[in-house]
Amino acid sequence: MRSVLRSPWLLLTPSIVLLLVLFGWPLVDGVLEAFTDEHGFTLTHWQRLFDDPYFLDALRNTLLLIVIVVPVQLVLAVAMSLLVQARPRFVSGHFYLWCIPLAISELAAGLVWLSIFDNRGYLNSLLVSLGLSEHGVQWLSYDNTATMLLTVVLAEIWRATSLVFVIVVAGVQMVPREYDEAAQVFGASFWQRLRHVTLPMLKPSLQVALILRTILALQAFAVAQALTGRDFPLLVGETYEWYVGLQNPAVASAVALVVLAISVGTAVLYLRTVRSPSEAES
Amino acid sequence: MRRGGPSQVSRRTFLRGAGAAGLAGLAGSGLAGCTGFATTGDGGMIFLSTQFRPVNEAEAFRSTLAKTISGVSYVTIEEGPFAGQVRSQVGSGATQMGLLGGLHGDLAPLADGYLEDVTDLLSDLSGRGFPADYVDLARSGTDRAWYIPWADASYVLAAHADALEHLPSGADAESLTYDQFLDWAIAARRANGGRPMLGLPLGPEGLFHRFTQGYLLPSFTGGQITTFRSREAVSAWQYLRELWANCNPASTTYDFMQEPLESGEVRMTWDHVVRLVEAPERDPENWRMLPAPRGEHGLGYMAVLAGLAIPKGSTDPELARDAIRALTTPRAQLDVLRSNGFFPVVDTEIPGNLPPAIQLEADAVAKQKNADDAILSLPPVGLGEREGEVSKVFQDTFRAIVLGGADIRSTLDAQARVLQGVLSELNVPCWAPDPAAERCEVG
Amino acid sequence: MTDATGSTAATANTAATSAQRRALPPVDHTPLRRRRMRAAWVQFACILISLFMALPIVLVGLSALSSRAALAEFPKSLLPSELSTETLQAFLQATGTFPAFGNSLLVGLYTVFWSLVVGAPAGYALARYAFRGKEPYQVFILLVRALPIVVLSVPLATMFLQFGVYDTVFAVTLVHTVLALPTTVLITASIFVSVPHDVEEAAQIFGCTRWQAARKVVLPLALPGLAASSIFTFVLSWNEILGATVVTLGHRTLPAQVLTSLAEASQAYRFAGGFALILPALLFIFVMRRYLVNMWGTTLR
């Protein structure tokens, strides 16, 4: 029988209490909205949601964005952490520059990249002044889905890689150098060391980074909205549209529940599959 | 091993402790620590509004407001949080605002239940000469008035000299027909090396659905809802297809036309006056604002009404009423016109010494209003929260027919069913330009 | 050694070394060259990534200082043709910008403090203890970030109104602390996991209680993780718009006051406002980055 002081729940209680008090009722209320109207339990809101032409596109786009962006960011962040580990010259300057996009809000990042990809933006200015194009390319045109996806992916990678990078770099420093050096002494090549020494020890950080980045990526819509308007609909953008534009909180809650389900699903997936050795034992 | 050792750690802990103590002291030191600094400027009664959000517009209005009445602080907010704030505050009986300002679409859904009944104030002010249509809108389908008309604005065409050069010969810019407008767009495009000069506000926050609702369809068909599926409506959408072929495809990202106009990407457009007014600021001689084109049935145009309302449980109802009285005097209305481009709704002469860009706008709107065959269209009346769904019908129709290339007849039939569904549930009479009937039915 | 064998050995040695010296192989520069090449490639990659990350900000900064006329030209040049601080000034002098700035700063610092106080112990518990309900707890913590906050706005505002703390910095701090809990708890947990257990046990053997061991030994070692989560928390709080808009009216934070109107303002104001908003968060990261990169005692200068 463990004493109360030895139990973890004492340490966990403040967070649980805070969450329940502040968000408990609003959460339940919001969820119930999606399933009820004045007459009681109903699925009409879900019916309306699925009839809407934008919903399935939004679902597809959101999943596509995550599948493309998250792995790229993970690989990029690990590469950046290893570069920092190699301690080149000016490493503190580089490090600071790589953390800069953290400070930018989604809305501001969308506006920044809009000024680059706009028809009269910086990218087209560069192309025109170099003579590579006469009037610039229409990067954000609604019938050009490939370039739309490209611009949104690029902007998202820019905005959020720093998040994954900061988490991974904090974890990379926890990897004792002795292990890596020992592997070097035993003749392991760079890739072998990466696969068998560094990455396994990074598992806790990678797991956290994956979970957080995926959940936040599901919430991202301000950047895509700034760049493409409603030509590239995303799930949370649709939530806003139903709540604010159409003043229909019930259908908005339904979309929010879809987002919640996907988030929780992927979180549970990561928690189960990306397990660090010590956790696996317990 | 660790350089710096224990002394470095303890220095850090000391700094942390000092920082925490400092914060705790600040928090304990009273108001600023816990409540925060007041961002309203002078801490008067809060006037919450969805209008004039951009920083320069808000500042211009604040100085006009200070001249009109004192003790009122202007706070801007987006439409969504506006409704949320009013609902949550009035709902819990702890209203923190004194006065509300917004468009008809912002205030009408809140009418019954969240706003004070201002019928008596409206009859007090009947001497000001509010147009009857606007008073009707203020009633939102009931028999009591829920807000006082404050200002109106409309949508006009704007064109730069570069585009005006290619106006078809024989066409008078101030009284174009839709066909002439299309020819003009085609000519401008040809002269520009195949790149369109026309742009339209088709972005997610753009107001193009008002064009189809209030300008195109009434001019072609004579109505908005009752003629939704008529033969003339089909030709209207076909016309729009041809117009789109000569329109800048980046228009689906334009929320406000003043940016593309200023950068030169677009040289002729249609948009809300407030979103056009900054473009000609630097070189007004090169710009013209024109009334909308006319169709077979006449010159359909739509007016946007902004109103002032008092929330239930207002912090200072007396001051709110005084503010409303002050803001609806002719002098204050003209001040707002000068500073922000919103038109007076009271009976007053528009002076001739307005800033050049505003002058352009005022002339165009006046010509539109006073045309012989003008057809006034109103935004939906009495639909409450579901007005957004009517706008959505027009937006979805455009997207399907013009951007998606779907068959016009079947799309109109499908969307007509959606529209009828909304109207049947609410059982409301039609609004201008459709003839008022007991129940509104889609034609 | 006897003299005879010693002297012959000595002469044999000198003969051998001089022969060796004559026949020394040339110095192999390849490993050195390989290292130099590697360092050069690493530097090149770092520069490329730094350009990618920093260029948009530099563009925004330069545009914020351009005049409106310069912004309307096409093609835009990299360096502004006309410098002017007019839009920046107008933005900073607008009503309520400075008080809102103060509010944002207060909320940011309070949120960092409270999220660490509430979140770090929870992270420690997740890292050190194995218990049933671990996974459900982690999913529960994530729920608040997994749901779009817009659908919670009216119930949340109603609750604050009823508690009487509506429209205060305190209310915004509460909302932001809860929003920051997932990142704080999960990041600190992953860091505490990596702190070796034996160091903590050694401290306990030397007489510390569990709390003392945690405070004196684990906390300093976990500093990078704590710094990382405090950076996230501050930046999240600094940039958060909707939650702050919903629970405040007259005591707003900077994003609630300004950011939403930026998207509708003309381009010049967008750049000025965006740039003014970015600067303080950049400053905070600049201050905190030293704690983040603490590679076993040597700090990156």
Side-chain angles (χ1 to χ4, degrees):
Chain A
M1 162 77 177
R2 289 150 111 204
S3 80
V4 164
L5 281 178
R6 291 187 160 280
S7 152
W9 291 102
L10 185 67
L11 295 173
L12 297 174
T13 313
S15 53
I16 297 181
V17 165
L18 196 62
L19 269 174
L20 280 178
V21 165
L22 275 182
F23 277 80
W25 170 238
L27 206 62
V28 169
D29 191 50
V31 165
L32 283 181
E33 277 246 43
F35 287 104
T36 57
D37 63 11
E38 332 46 272
H39 307 297
F41 182 80
T42 172
L43 288 176
T44 48
H45 305 303
W46 292 92
Q47 186 67 41
R48 275 202 73 191
L49 182 63
F50 282 102
D51 283 339
D52 189 54
Y54 291 108
F55 174 65
L56 287 174
D57 280 340
L59 189 60
R60 185 202 66 199
N61 289 342
T62 311
L63 292 176
L64 194 63
L65 200 61
I66 293 180
V67 161
I68 296 181
V69 165
V70 173
V72 169
Q73 286 185 321
L74 209 63
V75 167
L76 196 57
V78 171
M80 282 156 70
S81 311
L82 293 175
L83 282 175
V84 164
Q85 276 272 44
R87 298 234 246 129
R89 286 207 299 195
F90 314 122
V91 66
S92 60
H94 284 304
F95 182 81
Y96 178 61
L97 287 178
W98 298 355
C99 288
I100 285 185
L102 261 186
I104 318 290
S105 74
E106 261 205 85
L107 196 59
L111 297 178
V112 166
W113 281 91
L114 182 62
S115 71
I116 294 179
F117 282 121
D118 196 36
N119 278 343
R120 299 230 157 190
Y122 287 104
L123 187 57
N124 279 343
S125 299
L126 187 69
L127 292 176
V128 168
S129 48
L130 287 182
L132 290 172
S133 153
E134 225 203 292
H135 295 289
V137 179
Q138 296 229 349
W139 301 101
L140 302 171
S141 168
Y142 74 98
D143 50 4
N144 208 341
T145 36
T147 51
M148 269 205 301
L149 187 62
L150 183 68
T151 54
V152 175
V153 163
L154 208 58
E156 270 293 299
I157 289 181
W158 178 85
R159 184 183 71 85
T161 303
S162 321
L163 178 106
V164 189
F165 170 63
V166 169
I167 297 178
V168 173
V169 103
V172 140
Q173 289 163 69
M174 293 304 189
V175 175
R177 276 232 211 116
E178 298 90 54
Y179 290 18
D180 198 52
E181 285 171 356
Q184 253 184 320
V185 162
F186 281 110
S189 78
F190 173 70
W191 295 108
Q192 283 175 320
R193 272 182 289 138
L194 188 65
R195 251 190 68 201
H196 296 287
V197 177
T198 322
L199 284 182
M201 304 227 67
L202 269 183
K203 273 221 176 106
S205 302
L206 287 180
Q207 187 192 57
V208 172
L210 266 178
I211 293 178
L212 283 175
R213 180 61 198 125
T214 310
I215 288 196
L216 292 178
L218 280 166
Q219 300 282 322
F221 80 102
V223 170
Q225 195 170 64
L227 286 174
T228 61
R230 261 187 122 188
D231 300 326
F232 194 77
L234 290 174
L235 281 178
V236 179
E238 290 303 300
T239 311
Y240 267 87
E241 187 56 38
W242 280 103
Y243 195 85
V244 172
L246 298 166
Q247 302 237 5
N248 196 332
V251 180
S253 295
V255 185
L257 281 180
V258 173
V259 175
L260 185 67
I262 301 181
S263 306
V264 169
T266 47
V268 170
L269 187 73
Y270 290 143
L271 283 174
R272 296 260 163 89
T273 53
V274 186
R275 247 190 237 266
S276 62
S278 56
E279 277 188 354
E281 287 173 285
S282 55
Chain B
M1 291 297 108
R2 248 183 168 185
R3 252 193 253 153
S7 60
Q8 203 174 36
V9 170
S10 62
R11 195 193 334 140
R12 257 190 235 122
T13 3
F14 169 73
L15 279 176
R16 275 250 171 76
L23 277 180
L26 198 62
S29 73
L31 288 174
C34 220
T35 324
F37 307 106
T39 49
T40 49
D42 40 14
M45 173 185 82
I46 293 189
F47 174 7
L48 188 68
S49 151
T50 57
Q51 300 306 295
F52 313 134
R53 280 200 294 267
V55 167
N56 48 337
E57 289 181 34
E59 287 303 298
F61 183 69
R62 280 192 184 105
S63 41
T64 310
L65 186 64
K67 278 194 295 182
T68 315
I69 189 164
S70 58
V72 178
S73 301
Y74 192 68
V75 177
T76 59
I77 194 171
E78 279 191 318
E79 284 86 2
F82 176 78
Q85 294 257 9
V86 174
R87 277 184 220 275
S88 52
Q89 288 180 22
V90 173
S92 42
T95 316
Q96 319 246 327
M97 316 164 288
L99 184 62
L100 296 175
L103 296 179
H104 168 81
D106 304 324
L107 296 173
L110 300 168
D112 211 344
Y114 296 98
L115 300 178
E116 293 275 2
D117 185 351
V118 289
T119 324
D120 51 339
L121 184 57
L122 189 58
S123 43
D124 256 356
L125 297 172
S126 55
R128 305 257 200 252
F130 298 121
D133 287 315
Y134 292 172
V135 173
D136 239 350
L137 270 181
R139 294 215 175 93
S140 303
T142 64
D143 56 351
R144 333 263 333 129
W146 300 103
Y147 62 84
I148 308 289
W150 174 25
D152 83 10
S154 188
Y155 307 80
V156 294
L157 293 177
H160 190 262
D162 291 345
L164 285 164
E165 279 176 3
H166 309 291
L167 201 58
S169 58
D172 175 16
E174 312 249 321
S175 60
L176 293 166
T177 66
Y178 274 102
D179 290 326
Q180 287 172 333
F181 185 60
L182 179 60
D183 291 333
W184 182 17
I186 296 178
R189 177 164 167 238
R190 278 212 200 103
N192 200 22
R195 280 171 313 118
M197 273 201 196
L198 173 67
L200 293 169
L202 285 156
E205 308 284 324
L207 294 169
F208 190 71
H209 52 282
R210 299 301 191 200
F211 179 74
T212 45
Q213 252 182 312
Y215 286 72
L216 186 72
L217 287 178
S219 305
F220 271 72
T221 69
Q224 208 186 112
I225 305 288
T226 53
T227 54
F228 190 74
R229 279 188 312 176
S230 63
R231 218 170 12 92
E232 292 158 322
V234 174
S235 49
W237 288 103
Q238 223 143 19
Y239 169 86
L240 206 49
R241 255 194 196 149
E242 294 174 45
L243 193 64
W244 174 248
N246 293 291
C247 181
N248 193 331
S251 297
T252 53
T253 58
Y254 296 156
D255 289 334
F256 304 81
M257 291 313 294
Q258 50 199 22
E259 287 286 319
L261 284 178
E262 237 184 293
S263 69
E265 213 177 327
V266 165
R267 284 301 184 195
M268 44 189 284
T269 184
W270 172 97
D271 202 354
H272 192 279
V273 288
V274 166
R275 297 174 178 189
L276 289 174
V277 98
E278 270 187 38
E281 247 172 46
R282 273 179 301 127
D283 53 347
E285 329 77 60
N286 282 335
W287 290 90
R288 285 185 72 182
M289 298 225 193
L290 309 167
R294 49 171 43 82
E296 283 174 1
H297 282 255
L299 198 156
Y301 76 99
M302 189 180 259
V304 178
L305 182 63
L308 296 166
I310 307 182
K312 271 212 167 83
S314 157
T315 50
D316 196 342
E318 273 315 305
L319 182 57
R321 280 163 185 258
D322 287 337
I324 294 182
R325 280 196 197 93
L327 283 169
T328 47
T329 57
R331 217 199 65 168
Q333 297 257 311
L334 289 175
D335 282 339
V336 171
L337 174 61
R338 278 202 196 87
S339 63
N340 290 88
F342 257 29
F343 265 66
V345 284
V346 299
D347 224 347
T348 174
E349 279 272 320
I350 311 277
N353 60 344
L354 300 168
I358 310 249
Q359 188 70 53
L360 287 172
E361 165 203 334
D363 291 337
V365 172
K367 287 206 183 70
Q368 230 173 233
K369 256 193 222 174
N370 301 329
D372 295 327
D373 51 351
I375 307 176
L376 170 66
S377 290
L378 292 176
V381 179
L383 290 184
E385 304 175 330
R386 306 192 65 178
E387 191 204 322
E389 300 184 39
V390 173
S391 306
K392 185 168 153 64
V393 162
F394 286 93
Q395 284 167 329
D396 288 347
T397 314
F398 177 82
R399 209 163 251 275
I401 292 182
V402 178
L403 295 183
D407 172 50
I408 300 184
R409 174 51 67 193
S410 51
T411 314
L412 285 182
D413 289 337
Q415 291 293 339
R417 275 196 293 275
V418 174
L419 199 52
Q420 187 61 57
V422 176
L423 292 172
S424 312
E425 278 180 49
L426 294 169
N427 228 340
V428 288
C430 282
W431 54 89
D434 296 302
E438 272 299 310
R439 273 178 47 147
C440 209
E441 303 234 337
V442 182
Chain C
M1 304 237 172
T2 57
D3 278 345
T5 37
S7 53
T8 30
T11 30
N13 264 340
T14 29
T17 34
S18 53
Q20 267 183 324
R21 235 181 282 131
R22 275 195 299 270
L24 268 181
V27 175
D28 185 9
H29 290 281
T30 335
L32 190 62
R33 231 179 308 162
R34 219 183 299 141
R35 260 188 60 188
R36 285 222 190 97
M37 279 293 289
R38 228 189 53 143
W41 276 113
V42 167
Q43 186 66 240
F44 179 65
C46 286
I47 292 181
L48 222 64
I49 300 183
S50 294
L51 270 181
F52 177 57
M53 295 295 187
L55 196 61
I57 306 293
V58 168
L59 287 178
V60 169
L62 287 176
S63 305
L65 295 171
S66 308
S67 70
R68 291 186 62 169
L71 283 178
E73 339 174 309
F74 180 73
K76 288 197 186 51
S77 55
L78 198 61
L79 292 170
S81 49
E82 238 185 282
L83 279 178
S84 124
T85 52
E86 171 206 346
T87 42
L88 207 51
Q89 270 176 341
F91 177 80
L92 290 173
Q93 285 167 355
T95 308
T97 306
F98 273 119
F101 181 90
N103 285 339
S104 279
L105 207 62
L106 280 180
V107 170
L109 293 174
Y110 288 168
T111 309
V112 166
F113 179 71
W114 285 109
S115 69
L116 280 178
V117 161
V118 173
Y124 183 77
L126 273 185
R128 284 282 181 257
Y129 296 90
F131 55 98
R132 282 173 55 202
K134 195 167 175 176
E135 201 179 276
Y137 174 77
Q138 284 173 308
V139 172
F140 175 69
I141 287 278
L142 287 169
L143 272 183
V144 71
R145 277 321 274 283
L147 197 67
I149 196 176
V150 67
V151 298
L152 303 176
S153 44
V154 170
L156 207 60
T158 312
M159 202 168 53
F160 278 120
L161 279 165
Q162 283 171 343
F163 286 156
V165 291
Y166 188 77
D167 199 17
T168 58
V169 154
F170 179 62
V172 188
T173 306
L174 279 178
V175 175
H176 286 182
T177 306
V178 176
L179 285 177
L181 271 182
T183 42
T184 312
V185 169
L186 290 182
I187 292 179
T188 48
S190 77
I191 290 300
F192 283 133
V193 158
S194 313
V195 170
H197 206 73
D198 31 3
V199 186
E200 209 182 332
E201 282 175 353
Q204 285 183 300
I205 291 176
F206 279 109
C208 291
T209 66
R210 195 156 195 159
W211 298 120
Q212 281 178 323
R215 226 181 59 225
K216 290 185 200 286
V217 173
V218 177
L219 222 52
L221 284 178
L223 213 54
L226 294 178
S229 66
S230 71
I231 289 181
F232 282 144
T233 308
F234 184 83
V235 166
L236 172 138
S237 163
W238 184 264
N239 288 325
E240 208 273 332
I241 310 175
L242 191 65
T245 313
V246 161
V247 301
T248 57
L249 197 57
H251 298 91
R252 287 175 149 174
T253 60
L254 200 55
Q257 178 83 350
V258 165
L259 200 58
T260 45
S261 68
L262 272 188
E264 304 165 340
S266 66
Q267 203 178 43
Y269 280 104
R270 275 212 292 271
F271 284 128
F275 188 62
L277 278 169
I278 289 173
L279 277 181
L282 285 182
L283 207 64
F284 185 83
I285 296 183
F286 187 76
V287 165
M288 290 306 285
R289 86 192 200 291
R290 275 190 295 123
Y291 294 101
L292 189 60
V293 190
N294 186 2
M295 289 174 159
W296 292 111
T298 58
T299 46
L300 284 181
R301 241 168 279 282

